[in-house]
Amino acid sequence: MIRRPPPFAAAIGRHLPFAAVAAVALVAAPLLLEPFRLGLLAKYLCYAIVALGIGLAWGQGGMLALGQGVFFGLGGYSMAMYLKLTEAGPGGLPDFMVWSGVAELPALWTPFASPVFAVGMAVAGPVALAVVLGTLVFRQRVRGAYFAILTQALAAAMVILLVGQQGLSGGTNGMTNFFELFGQDLAEDSTQRGLYLVVAGVLGVLYLATRQLVRSRYGRLLVAVRDGEDRVRFLGYDPALVKTVTFAVSAGMAGLAGALFVPVVGIISPALLGVVPSLELVVAVAVGGRHVLAGAVLGAVVMGYAKTAFSEQFADGWLYLQGALFILVMTLAPKGIAGIAQSVVGRLRRARTT
């Protein structure tokens, strides 16, 4: 007879892997990595926050969103506007506005002088856009490839809009040259370590919250909508509302990731929120395993590291190597890296019981 551990011990056992990874991320990484590499890891974790939202919307809810870069960009531009106004000082203009011949600060920019407003809008803006878009789309029962194409078109339209507003958004170049965040010099190693800890902490909290959401009754309802939307509707639930809420949550995560990304990397531009970056994030989630939240996070980190490593070692052909990595994983492990891990764990458990 196999003895099962008590519920408390089982709960601790389930959280031990997360606790171990969190301890390594928060303690070992700042001690072992040089500032440049630590900054790269912080950038990967920012992408992992976006991937976590994609895993929730796509893996759990069946909504393949190819425009998460839009929400990421809204959050990034919100934080960038605050940083540029801080740099310009009272009554001053951001440098790119001066170069563009803008004589007076646009009214749209004025509220972003407040850090509270900027951070709030980094999350509230994407959430509001996702609620509006989701309400309009899901009420019309648009889903599958049509929803994916719609979100992809939104990303393309956002890039065109930003590029055309040189004096308002910095145009093609976007915004850069950020020097200070909340009174701290962004060039200092201590500030970058602090930013890394903040990003890692935010990712950990969001992961636990999302995991709890998936395990809740709402999470089970979301999976039911993914597997049989019409059946859920006949049972008296509103699938459009369920999908809209999930889409808005994933958009809020992407916006927050964008706000964290700007001080970590030091730039935000249309090139970071168009169709290609959005597709790369979806590919990363697929590589990690879209049906497992930890797989989505792992996929973003793995693909980010692979992109850096390949580009450093093979400057002429790193894109081919990155594509080969995706094809290899999807061919040998359709469920991603998380699927491989689940298969290994399952075999070990069966071996113990025999």
Side-chain angles (χ1 to χ4, degrees):
M1 181 177 179
I2 301 175
R3 293 183 179 181
R4 295 184 177 181
F8 179 74
I12 294 178
R14 288 196 302 267
H15 288 86
L16 276 178
F18 174 81
V21 173
V24 171
L26 291 175
V27 179
L31 296 177
L32 299 177
L33 297 178
E34 60 184 22
F36 174 72
R37 297 297 172 183
L38 188 64
L40 287 177
L41 180 56
K43 182 176 73 170
Y44 305 154
L45 296 185
C46 289
Y47 289 140
I49 295 175
V50 187
L52 181 63
I54 295 176
L56 176 65
W58 182 30
Q60 305 300 317
M63 293 171 282
L64 177 56
L66 301 181
Q68 291 299 97
V70 172
F71 307 121
F72 180 83
L74 288 176
Y77 271 93
S78 294
M79 177 58 72
M81 291 165 73
Y82 163 71
L83 295 177
K84 296 305 287 184
L85 289 176
T86 301
E87 174 197 343
L93 291 175
D95 49 11
F96 70 89
M97 289 187 182
V98 176
W99 304 333
S100 301
V102 176
E104 185 178 356
L105 186 69
L108 176 64
W109 275 68
T110 304
F112 287 91
S114 167
V116 176
F117 182 87
V119 175
M121 282 301 297
V123 178
V127 168
L129 178 59
V131 168
V132 172
L133 181 63
T135 301
L136 294 175
V137 171
F138 297 135
R139 291 293 177 189
Q140 299 299 320
R141 302 185 184 182
V142 176
R143 50 186 156 176
Y146 298 101
F147 175 73
I149 293 173
L150 182 63
T151 55
Q152 190 177 45
L154 178 64
M158 181 62 70
V159 171
I160 295 173
L161 176 64
L162 292 173
V163 170
Q165 300 296 322
Q166 175 68 39
L168 193 64
S169 65
T172 305
N173 296 325
M175 302 183 203
T176 187
N177 295 329
F178 308 118
F179 303 106
E180 185 178 301
L181 174 65
F182 303 143
Q184 302 297 317
D185 187 358
L186 288 173
E188 292 290 336
D189 293 343
S190 59
T191 304
Q192 290 300 316
R193 282 194 297 269
L195 285 172
Y196 165 78
L197 294 175
V198 170
V199 173
V202 169
L203 174 60
V205 171
L206 289 178
Y207 172 77
L208 291 176
T210 307
R211 189 169 179 268
Q212 185 63 31
L213 178 65
V214 170
R215 290 172 173 265
S216 67
R217 180 182 178 184
Y218 176 84
R220 294 192 294 272
L221 179 60
L222 178 63
V223 173
V225 170
R226 179 195 69 190
D227 296 338
E229 182 174 335
D230 293 332
R231 293 182 180 180
V232 172
R233 183 179 294 106
F234 293 150
L235 290 174
Y237 293 98
D238 186 359
L241 178 61
V242 175
K243 295 168 74 172
T244 299
V245 170
T246 303
F247 187 46
V249 171
S250 68
M253 290 185 188
L256 181 57
L260 294 171
F261 178 89
V262 169
V264 168
V265 179
I267 188 174
I268 186 69
S269 71
L272 296 171
L273 55 106
V275 174
V276 173
S278 298
L279 289 174
E280 288 180 344
L281 288 168
V282 172
V283 168
V285 173
V287 168
R290 68 184 178 98
H291 294 295
V292 181
L293 295 177
V297 173
L298 179 61
V301 175
V302 169
M303 291 299 288
Y305 174 77
K307 184 176 182 178
T308 300
F310 291 156
S311 61
E312 289 179 347
Q313 299 296 325
F314 309 98
D316 295 331
W318 66 271
L319 280 173
Y320 300 103
L321 294 174
Q322 190 177 21
L325 174 63
F326 170 67
I327 294 173
L328 182 65
V329 172
M330 290 295 97
T331 302
L332 300 180
K335 294 183 179 180
I337 299 174
I340 299 175
Q342 288 178 334
S343 178
V344 172
V345 171
R347 291 181 180 180
L348 292 176
R349 288 178 177 175
R350 288 193 295 271
R352 288 180 179 179
T353 57
T354 56

